[in-house]
Amino acid sequence: MRIGLGINYTDGFKATADEVLDLERAGLDIVFVPEAYSFDAVSALGYLAAKTERVQLASGILQIYTRTPTLTAMTAAGLDNVSDGRFILGLGASGPQVIEGFHGVKYDAPIGRTREIIEVCRKVWRRERLEHRGKFYTMPLTQEDGGTGLGKPLKLINHPVRERIPVLLAALGQKNVALAAEVAEGWQPIFFLPEKAKDVWGDAVAEGKAKRDPSLGELDVYAGPALAIGENVDHLLGFVKPHLALYIGGMGAKGKNFYHTLATNYGYGAEADRIQELYLAGDKAAAVEAVPDELARSVSLIGPKGYVKERIAAFEEAGATVLNVVPIAEDAAGRVKQIEALRELV
């Protein structure tokens, strides 16, 4: 299994970049740069491309609504170029809170848009003269489409390092997961619980794989557990619970929360209802307390080496090929030690 990690550079990007170098030496395989409503991910990825040598660089994720399909393709090709073929294009829909609230763009048709964006990206990377007439995107625009009629099919000027840059989709709903299994090289679920993954997503993955082009290869599955290897570390589950409470309780309204539905499908329906009730009422501390230890432990890698090794095997048995971990440590040196310890176990 490969090891990935998402960086958090709110306290200073250059210091975080230095940490990435140490993590690369410790055995990290992939580093993800987020883009929610922070600094853009592309600037950071370009900087890391110049600083690192081996580690793969992934957007985690670029939101499908915030760039045109062709700009997404151009950006991916540019990052793949400056990194000498180490870029992974992570895409996702995000949610209405960010897309409509921060960007002022309508959040609609995420599945259809995602499919077309990937189609356009691959045409651009192959340097085809771009002609695309889809439900959501049309290139070039004609007068009938509301354009001037002066546009013409163009192909990318530069020659990409690769004509097939790996695409990773962050997907949670059944239709979106099926799409990822059909058209993407990788799929990133959230709160991956190995023992329940097949029950929740198995049919969707099978549906997508049945339509999958064999040239895509096997689907990589990027699980995202918190990581703390050591004795007497159960108390660190307390670092996992606020994240679970935020998503299960606060990411959406009642009846319109994907993460609440996921927890329910995992068998924690009553607990999810209580977490949401408390969170939406403004009692975030009580919502965190309502997160079951069992749930936090099951989606994490927290415990002694022997236990974590068993959990790694469970993740692998459930189909995970990448552990995109969140190390729990006091400082950068502690995070590096956690990656070193995990490297020994995988």
Side-chain angles (χ1 to χ4, degrees):
M1 298 181 77
R2 290 181 292 160
I3 300 173
L5 176 148
I7 65 169
N8 182 344
Y9 57 93
T10 54
D11 294 329
F13 175 71
K14 291 185 178 180
T16 301
D18 289 339
E19 181 180 339
V20 170
L21 293 177
D22 291 333
L23 291 165
E24 182 180 44
R25 288 187 284 268
L28 188 71
D29 296 303
I30 308 167
V31 62
F32 284 77
V33 178
E35 185 179 81
Y37 41 99
S38 58
F39 290 143
D40 74 290
V42 178
S43 301
L45 285 161
Y47 187 95
L48 289 174
K51 297 282 284 186
T52 57
E53 297 180 358
R54 178 192 58 80
V55 69
Q56 289 184 292
L57 306 170
S59 52
I61 45 87
L62 298 187
Q63 300 148 1
I64 63 171
Y65 299 95
T66 56
R67 295 170 174 86
T68 66
T70 42
L71 178 57
T72 298
M74 293 162 63
T75 299
L79 288 169
D80 206 46
N81 179 64
V82 296
S83 66
D84 297 320
R86 290 185 285 136
F87 181 62
I88 297 171
L89 176 59
L91 293 172
S94 187
Q97 296 95 327
V98 174
I99 300 306
E100 296 184 353
F102 189 71
H103 293 285
V105 176
K106 186 178 180 181
Y107 185 93
D108 69 342
I111 296 171
R113 290 183 183 278
T114 299
R115 182 183 290 277
E116 288 193 36
I117 289 168
I118 294 172
E119 289 175 0
V120 169
C121 282
R122 288 175 175 158
K123 288 178 181 179
V124 171
W125 299 333
R126 292 193 298 264
R127 298 190 72 242
E128 297 178 6
R129 292 198 180 277
L130 186 56
E131 294 185 82
H132 178 86
R133 300 196 67 82
K135 182 176 180 180
F136 304 102
Y137 304 103
T138 299
M139 289 81 78
L141 286 175
T142 66
Q143 286 183 317
E144 289 76 15
D145 301 315
T148 64
L150 299 176
K152 60 181 181 178
L154 299 173
K155 66 180 179 181
L156 188 69
I157 294 172
N158 310 85
H159 289 260
V161 174
R162 294 179 290 176
E163 69 171 29
R164 177 62 65 81
I165 296 170
V167 175
L168 164 68
L169 291 185
L172 183 60
Q174 298 296 307
K175 292 181 179 180
N176 217 0
V177 171
L179 177 67
E182 178 187 350
V183 304
E185 281 84 0
W187 163 47
Q188 185 177 18
I190 192 170
F191 306 137
F192 190 86
L193 200 165
E195 288 78 10
K196 297 288 186 178
K198 186 175 181 180
D199 293 339
V200 174
W201 290 305
D203 289 346
V205 171
E207 177 186 337
K209 284 186 174 181
K211 304 174 186 176
R212 187 177 181 83
D213 185 336
S215 68
L216 289 172
E218 291 297 316
L219 179 69
D220 276 321
V221 179
Y222 292 70
L227 174 70
I229 302 172
E231 302 295 330
N232 303 315
V233 292
D234 260 15
H235 66 283
L236 296 179
L237 292 173
F239 286 86
V240 179
K241 290 183 176 184
H243 191 57
L244 285 163
L246 168 63
Y247 278 77
I248 295 170
M251 288 295 188
K254 285 188 176 181
K256 294 183 179 181
N257 182 319
F258 303 125
Y259 312 100
H260 177 281
T261 300
L262 177 61
T264 300
N265 290 338
Y266 279 166
Y268 295 94
E271 294 87 345
D273 287 346
R274 182 59 177 160
I275 293 166
Q276 187 178 62
E277 178 186 355
L278 291 166
Y279 206 98
L280 294 180
D283 195 346
K284 296 179 182 179
V288 170
E289 287 295 320
V291 175
D293 285 354
E294 181 184 8
L295 174 59
R297 182 177 289 107
S298 296
V299 299
S300 304
L301 294 173
I302 295 177
K305 281 187 177 182
Y307 171 78
V308 170
K309 189 175 182 65
E310 291 176 2
R311 293 305 296 160
I312 291 170
F315 275 84
E316 189 169 18
E317 177 66 22
T321 59
V322 180
L323 294 172
N324 192 33
V325 297
V326 181
I328 302 173
E330 292 183 356
D331 52 25
R335 288 187 287 272
V336 169
K337 287 181 179 179
Q338 286 294 327
I339 295 299
E340 289 174 339
L342 181 60
R343 182 83 273 170
E344 293 178 4
L345 298 179
V346 299

